Amino acid sequence: MIPTWCMAFPDGHETGSYLALDMGGTNLRVCEVTLTSEKGEFEIIQSKYRMPEELKTGSADELWGYVADCLQQFIEYHHEDEKLDHLPLGFTFSYPVTQDAIDHGVLQRWTKGFDIAGVEGEDVVPQFNRALEERHLPIKLVALVNDTTGTMIASAYTDTDMKVGCIFGTGCNAAYMEDCGSIPKLAHLNLDKDLPMAINCEWGAFDNEHAVLPRTPYDVIIDKESPRPGQQSFEKMIAGLYLGEIFRLVLLDLHKGNECTMFADQDVSKLDKPYSLDASFLAAIEEDRFENLTDTADLFAAKLGISPTKPELELIRRLAELIATRAARLTAVGVSAICRHKKWDNVHVGADGSVFTKYPHFKIRQAQALKEILGWEGKFGKGRGDPIEVLPAEDGSGVGAALIAALTVKRARAGQLAGIRDCDSLVEIGRKMK
Amino acid sequence: MVLGARKPPSRKGSFADMPTDLKTQIDKLEELFLVPTEKLKEISDHFVSELKRGLSKEGGTIVRSSSVPHCKTTRY
């Protein structure tokens, strides 16, 4: 439950040009988002750059230097010979940070294969700024953004019913808009109790105490074998990263146990490899339209070198359904909890991530579970027109990050300076934009 | 269309010629992985209290602290 210092929803009338930067595990994306005078409309130009592998284990100077070089290339290409004056930037930095302000973020630790000395435990913003200054780039970092918050804000720009942003992908997390008066841990700051504050829930860590989640022996193994046992308990049951692994563990257990015959006399060495199956493998099984599951048989032969019998294929299909359905139903628990906490009966939830956008039946299973939890009447729970409806989100790390930059400039101009470190620069940018 | 955790109707009856040992395993897996309505409600109740606790001065599981670092969402 991390306050993100994103303290407003867009009203659709934001205008101006903003940069958005998204530093992921494989790519670096730079966008220029122009919010037009048409309500809720925007134009976007973007470039994608590869994150070189060697950079991920190099030095901090090399990392920030590369990021700044990409920004410079983008600016030179799209604004050749133009005299620019401090383009505001929203930076989607998808690593765990704690924020005392929107332009501040102390990296807890690297994830996604990054291991760069001198960044963990430090505020990444001054390091990033130094690289910009060395290159005399006309860019001002305004907001460090979490992808869930970006997803919520981008969705709210075009749909004012959007109150929650979720990522159902390799990982799983959500953000929603709280009011400052309901955040006791910020009480000492004496913020206006009616001001909104986006909260990054970091709900992957829900029930790390194992009080209520119905964990199976397979979930216990996943946790024990993971790099960080005891953490991200909720995420380990629902996120795309783990769905294929749960599936693999069950099949291997059935093969090795003596309660049934499974893959008798077959070479299971490929199935023996941890994390060799991802969520798309389960999705493909569930997409098999043939009664005799021929696609699934082909998939097992090609990927695992196993030829399952017909009854084994039936078990495989049912297992994929069970694991993915449990995941979808548990995500509904999180969504329902936010809405119940806020006493929201009719809201939209913006969702992104590969599991949400690509996994078959995910949305309807989630809607059905929401119906069961919230006791909706019969006609609801189909995933369309429901009181609480989870909808595909707008581009959170691009448009969302740009919007959060815009909203931050806007509130600085209006004199709402809580949670902004470099107030003077923002007020100055805001003054020049109008 | 698969609704909730129920068996897709179109595939009903496909377990007819299932060997009993595999059928028993399927039943066991359903027992393990199906989350009934009552359980969903119980987890949702606990989730609500954890959200409130995470906002409180004391904090809870979903509050960041130095002893509980958080994995952040990644996408593929």
Side-chain angles (χ1 to χ4, degrees), chain A residues 109 204-210 215 218-236 242 275, chain B residues 61 67-71:
Chain A
R109 60 191 159 67
F206 169 67
D207 200 28
N208 279 351
E209 302 87 353
H210 306 148
R215 297 165 84 227
Y218 306 105
D219 299 306
V220 174
I221 296 171
I222 293 251
D223 184 44
K224 233 192 320 198
E225 304 291 318
S226 75
R228 290 166 196 274
Q231 288 171 27
Q232 299 296 98
S233 289
F234 188 54
E235 184 170 71
K236 281 170 178 160
Y242 304 103
Y275 291 92
Chain B
T61 312
S67 61
V68 186
H70 286 256
C71 296

Coordinates of all heavy atoms in Angstrom, one line a residue, chain A residues 109 204-210 215 218-236 242 275, chain B residues 61 67-71:
Chain A
R109 N 15.4 -3.0 -4.7 CA 16.3 -4.0 -5.3 C 16.0 -4.2 -6.7 O 14.8 -4.0 -7.1 CB 16.3 -5.3 -4.5 CG 14.9 -5.9 -4.6 CD 14.7 -7.1 -3.7 NE 13.3 -7.2 -3.5 CZ 12.5 -7.6 -4.5 NH1 13.0 -7.9 -5.7 NH2 11.2 -7.7 -4.3
G204 N 0.6 -8.4 -4.6 CA 1.2 -9.7 -4.8 C 1.7 -10.3 -3.4 O 1.8 -11.5 -3.3
A205 N 1.9 -9.4 -2.5 CA 2.4 -9.8 -1.1 C 1.2 -10.1 -0.2 O 1.4 -10.4 1.0 CB 3.2 -8.7 -0.5
F206 N 0.0 -10.1 -0.7 CA -1.2 -10.3 0.1 C -1.1 -11.7 0.8 O -0.7 -12.7 0.1 CB -2.5 -10.3 -0.7 CG -3.7 -10.8 0.0 CD1 -4.2 -10.2 1.1 CD2 -4.3 -11.9 -0.4 CE1 -5.3 -10.7 1.8 CE2 -5.4 -12.5 0.2 CZ -6.0 -11.8 1.3
D207 N -1.4 -11.8 2.0 CA -1.4 -13.1 2.8 C -0.1 -13.8 2.8 O 0.0 -15.0 2.7 CB -2.5 -14.0 2.3 CG -2.9 -15.1 3.3 OD1 -2.8 -14.8 4.5 OD2 -3.4 -16.2 2.9
N208 N 1.0 -13.1 2.9 CA 2.3 -13.7 3.1 C 2.3 -14.6 4.4 O 3.2 -15.4 4.5 CB 3.4 -12.7 3.1 CG 3.8 -12.2 1.7 OD1 3.4 -12.8 0.8 ND2 4.6 -11.2 1.7
E209 N 1.4 -14.3 5.3 CA 1.3 -15.0 6.5 C 0.6 -16.4 6.3 O 0.5 -17.2 7.2 CB 0.5 -14.3 7.6 CG 1.0 -12.9 7.9 CD 0.5 -11.8 7.0 OE1 -0.2 -12.1 6.0 OE2 0.8 -10.6 7.3
H210 N 0.0 -16.6 5.1 CA -0.7 -17.8 4.8 C -1.9 -18.1 5.7 O -2.1 -19.1 6.3 CB 0.2 -19.0 4.8 CG 1.4 -18.8 3.9 ND1 2.6 -19.4 4.2 CD2 1.6 -18.1 2.8 CE1 3.5 -19.0 3.2 NE2 2.9 -18.3 2.4
R215 N -3.7 -22.7 -0.4 CA -2.5 -23.1 -1.0 C -2.5 -24.7 -1.1 O -2.8 -25.4 -0.2 CB -1.3 -22.6 -0.3 CG -1.2 -21.1 -0.3 CD -0.1 -20.6 0.7 NE 1.2 -20.6 0.1 CZ 2.2 -21.1 0.8 NH1 2.1 -21.7 1.9 NH2 3.4 -21.1 0.3
Y218 N 1.5 -27.9 -4.3 CA 2.3 -27.4 -5.4 C 2.7 -25.9 -5.2 O 3.7 -25.5 -5.5 CB 1.5 -27.6 -6.7 CG 1.1 -29.1 -6.9 CD1 -0.2 -29.5 -6.6 CD2 2.0 -30.1 -7.1 CE1 -0.6 -30.8 -6.7 CE2 1.7 -31.4 -7.2 CZ 0.4 -31.8 -7.0 OH 0.0 -33.1 -7.1
D219 N 1.7 -25.2 -4.6 CA 2.0 -23.8 -4.3 C 3.2 -23.7 -3.3 O 4.0 -22.8 -3.3 CB 0.8 -23.1 -3.8 CG -0.3 -23.1 -4.8 OD1 -0.1 -22.6 -5.9 OD2 -1.4 -23.5 -4.4
V220 N 3.2 -24.6 -2.3 CA 4.2 -24.7 -1.3 C 5.6 -24.9 -2.0 O 6.6 -24.2 -1.6 CB 3.9 -25.7 -0.2 CG1 5.0 -25.8 0.8 CG2 2.6 -25.4 0.5
I221 N 5.6 -25.8 -2.9 CA 6.9 -26.1 -3.6 C 7.4 -24.9 -4.4 O 8.5 -24.5 -4.3 CB 6.7 -27.3 -4.6 CG1 6.4 -28.6 -3.8 CG2 8.0 -27.5 -5.4 CD1 6.0 -29.8 -4.7
I222 N 6.4 -24.3 -5.2 CA 6.8 -23.1 -5.9 C 7.5 -22.0 -5.0 O 8.5 -21.5 -5.4 CB 5.5 -22.4 -6.5 CG1 4.9 -23.3 -7.6 CG2 5.8 -21.0 -7.1 CD1 5.0 -22.9 -9.0
D223 N 6.8 -21.8 -3.9 CA 7.4 -20.8 -3.0 C 8.8 -21.2 -2.4 O 9.7 -20.4 -2.4 CB 6.4 -20.6 -1.8 CG 6.9 -19.5 -0.9 OD1 7.3 -18.5 -1.4 OD2 6.8 -19.7 0.4
K224 N 8.9 -22.5 -2.0 CA 10.1 -23.0 -1.4 C 11.3 -22.9 -2.4 O 12.4 -22.6 -2.1 CB 9.9 -24.4 -0.9 CG 10.3 -24.5 0.5 CD 10.5 -25.9 1.1 CE 9.5 -26.9 0.7 NZ 9.3 -28.1 1.5
E225 N 11.0 -23.2 -3.7 CA 12.0 -23.2 -4.7 C 12.3 -21.8 -5.3 O 13.2 -21.7 -6.1 CB 11.7 -24.2 -5.9 CG 11.3 -25.6 -5.4 CD 12.6 -26.3 -4.9 OE1 13.6 -26.2 -5.6 OE2 12.5 -27.0 -3.9
S226 N 11.5 -20.8 -4.9 CA 11.6 -19.5 -5.5 C 12.8 -18.8 -4.9 O 13.3 -19.1 -3.8 CB 10.4 -18.7 -5.3 OG 10.3 -18.3 -4.0
P227 N 13.4 -17.8 -5.6 CA 14.5 -17.0 -5.1 C 14.1 -16.3 -3.7 O 15.0 -16.1 -2.9 CB 14.8 -16.0 -6.1 CG 14.2 -16.5 -7.4 CD 13.0 -17.3 -7.0
R228 N 12.8 -16.0 -3.5 CA 12.5 -15.3 -2.3 C 11.3 -16.0 -1.6 O 10.1 -15.6 -1.7 CB 12.1 -13.9 -2.6 CG 13.3 -13.1 -3.0 CD 13.0 -11.7 -3.6 NE 14.2 -11.2 -4.2 CZ 15.1 -10.4 -3.6 NH1 15.0 -10.2 -2.3 NH2 16.1 -9.9 -4.3
P229 N 11.6 -17.1 -0.9 CA 10.5 -17.9 -0.3 C 9.8 -17.0 0.8 O 10.4 -16.1 1.4 CB 11.2 -19.0 0.4 CG 12.5 -19.1 -0.3 CD 12.9 -17.7 -0.7
G230 N 8.5 -17.2 0.9 CA 7.7 -16.5 1.9 C 7.2 -15.1 1.4 O 6.5 -14.5 2.1
Q231 N 7.6 -14.8 0.2 CA 7.1 -13.5 -0.3 C 6.3 -13.6 -1.5 O 6.3 -14.7 -2.2 CB 8.3 -12.6 -0.7 CG 9.0 -12.1 0.6 CD 10.3 -11.4 0.3 OE1 10.5 -10.9 -0.8 NE2 11.2 -11.5 1.2
Q232 N 5.5 -12.6 -1.8 CA 4.6 -12.6 -3.0 C 3.7 -13.8 -3.0 O 3.5 -14.5 -4.1 CB 5.4 -12.5 -4.3 CG 6.2 -11.2 -4.4 CD 5.4 -9.9 -4.4 OE1 5.2 -9.3 -3.4 NE2 4.9 -9.6 -5.6
S233 N 3.1 -14.2 -1.9 CA 2.3 -15.4 -1.8 C 1.1 -15.4 -2.8 O 0.8 -16.4 -3.4 CB 1.7 -15.5 -0.4 OG 2.8 -15.9 0.5
F234 N 0.4 -14.2 -2.8 CA -0.8 -14.1 -3.7 C -0.3 -14.2 -5.2 O -0.9 -14.9 -5.9 CB -1.4 -12.7 -3.4 CG -2.8 -12.5 -4.0 CD1 -3.8 -13.4 -3.9 CD2 -3.0 -11.4 -4.8 CE1 -5.1 -13.2 -4.5 CE2 -4.2 -11.1 -5.4 CZ -5.3 -12.0 -5.3
E235 N 0.7 -13.4 -5.5 CA 1.2 -13.4 -6.9 C 1.6 -14.8 -7.3 O 1.4 -15.2 -8.5 CB 2.4 -12.5 -7.0 CG 2.9 -12.3 -8.4 CD 3.9 -11.2 -8.5 OE1 5.1 -11.3 -8.0 OE2 3.6 -10.2 -9.1
K236 N 2.2 -15.6 -6.4 CA 2.6 -16.9 -6.8 C 1.5 -17.9 -7.2 O 1.7 -18.9 -7.8 CB 3.5 -17.5 -5.7 CG 4.9 -17.0 -5.8 CD 5.7 -17.3 -4.5 CE 7.1 -16.8 -4.6 NZ 7.8 -16.7 -3.3
Y242 N 3.9 -18.1 -13.0 CA 3.8 -19.3 -12.2 C 2.8 -20.3 -12.7 O 2.8 -21.5 -12.3 CB 3.5 -18.9 -10.7 CG 4.5 -18.0 -10.1 CD1 4.2 -16.6 -10.0 CD2 5.7 -18.4 -9.7 CE1 5.1 -15.7 -9.5 CE2 6.7 -17.5 -9.2 CZ 6.3 -16.2 -9.1 OH 7.3 -15.3 -8.6
Y275 N 10.3 -24.1 -14.7 CA 9.9 -23.0 -15.5 C 10.1 -23.1 -17.0 O 10.3 -22.2 -17.7 CB 10.6 -21.7 -15.0 CG 10.1 -21.3 -13.6 CD1 10.8 -21.8 -12.4 CD2 9.0 -20.5 -13.4 CE1 10.3 -21.5 -11.2 CE2 8.5 -20.2 -12.2 CZ 9.1 -20.7 -11.1 OH 8.7 -20.4 -9.8
Chain B
T61 N 0.8 -6.8 5.7 CA 1.5 -7.5 4.7 C 1.8 -6.6 3.5 O 2.9 -6.6 2.9 CB 0.8 -8.8 4.2 OG1 0.3 -9.5 5.3 CG2 1.7 -9.6 3.4
S67 N 11.9 -5.1 5.9 CA 12.0 -6.6 6.1 C 11.2 -7.4 5.1 O 11.4 -8.5 4.9 CB 11.6 -7.0 7.5 OG 10.2 -6.6 7.7
V68 N 10.3 -6.7 4.4 CA 9.4 -7.3 3.4 C 9.6 -6.6 2.1 O 8.8 -5.8 1.7 CB 8.0 -7.4 3.8 CG1 7.2 -8.2 2.9 CG2 7.8 -7.9 5.2
P69 N 10.7 -6.9 1.4 CA 10.8 -6.3 0.1 C 9.7 -6.8 -0.9 O 9.2 -7.9 -0.7 CB 12.2 -6.7 -0.4 CG 12.7 -7.6 0.6 CD 11.7 -7.9 1.6
H70 N 9.4 -6.0 -1.9 CA 8.3 -6.4 -2.8 C 8.8 -6.7 -4.2 O 9.5 -5.9 -4.7 CB 7.2 -5.4 -2.8 CG 6.4 -5.3 -1.6 ND1 5.2 -5.8 -1.5 CD2 6.7 -4.9 -0.3 CE1 4.7 -5.7 -0.2 NE2 5.7 -5.1 0.5
C71 N 8.3 -7.8 -4.7 CA 8.5 -8.0 -6.1 C 7.5 -7.2 -6.9 O 6.3 -7.2 -6.5 CB 8.3 -9.5 -6.5 SG 9.4 -10.6 -5.7

